[in-house]
Amino acid sequence: YLPYQVEFLFCNMIGFFCRIFMSAYTCSRYMINDQLIGRVICICRTPIDYINPQRYSLVNKDIVKLIKSQYKTHGTKCFGLGNLNK
C-alpha cells in the first residue's frame, strides 16, 4: 500500500543487497528430446532493471556471463531463462 516510487526504491535496494551475496542461481536440469541436458538459469535482477533502458546492457552482460560460466563448469549448452521476479 505504498506509493509506486517507494515500492520501486525498496525493490531496488533489496536487489542491490541480493547482488552483493549472489549474482545468479540455477534450477534443476531438464532433458530435451532424450538427447540434450538443459538448465534453467536465473539472474538476480529487479523489475527496475527490465524497465530502465540504461540497465539493459547490465542485464544482458549478466545473462551472457552466467551462460559462459555454466558451459565452462558443466558443459551445458541449452538454457531456459528464469527470473526471480516472476
Side-chain angles (χ1 to χ4, degrees):
Y1 300 104
L2 297 172
Y4 286 128
Q5 291 176 333
V6 175
E7 284 188 27
F8 281 134
L9 179 62
F10 183 68
C11 184
N12 201 26
M13 290 186 324
I14 290 174
F16 173 78
F17 286 114
C18 284
R19 286 190 299 274
I20 288 174
F21 299 105
M22 62 185 218
S23 62
Y25 63 96
T26 58
C27 299
S28 60
R29 295 178 290 167
Y30 55 92
M31 180 74 73
I32 303 168
N33 293 333
D34 292 325
Q35 296 177 5
L36 302 171
I37 300 293
R39 181 179 293 273
V40 175
I41 56 175
C42 308
I43 59 173
C44 296
R45 290 290 175 177
T46 65
I48 295 171
D49 297 317
Y50 299 100
I51 294 171
N52 187 345
Q54 295 172 339
R55 296 188 186 184
Y56 291 170
S57 63
L58 297 173
V59 171
N60 290 336
K61 285 179 186 176
D62 282 354
I63 292 170
V64 170
K65 183 174 137 184
L66 181 57
I67 288 173
K68 285 181 179 179
S69 72
Q70 288 293 309
Y71 177 74
K72 286 180 183 177
T73 306
H74 304 289
T76 307
K77 296 179 182 178
C78 301
F79 297 93
L81 296 176
N83 192 324
L84 187 63
N85 331 322
K86 287 184 180 178

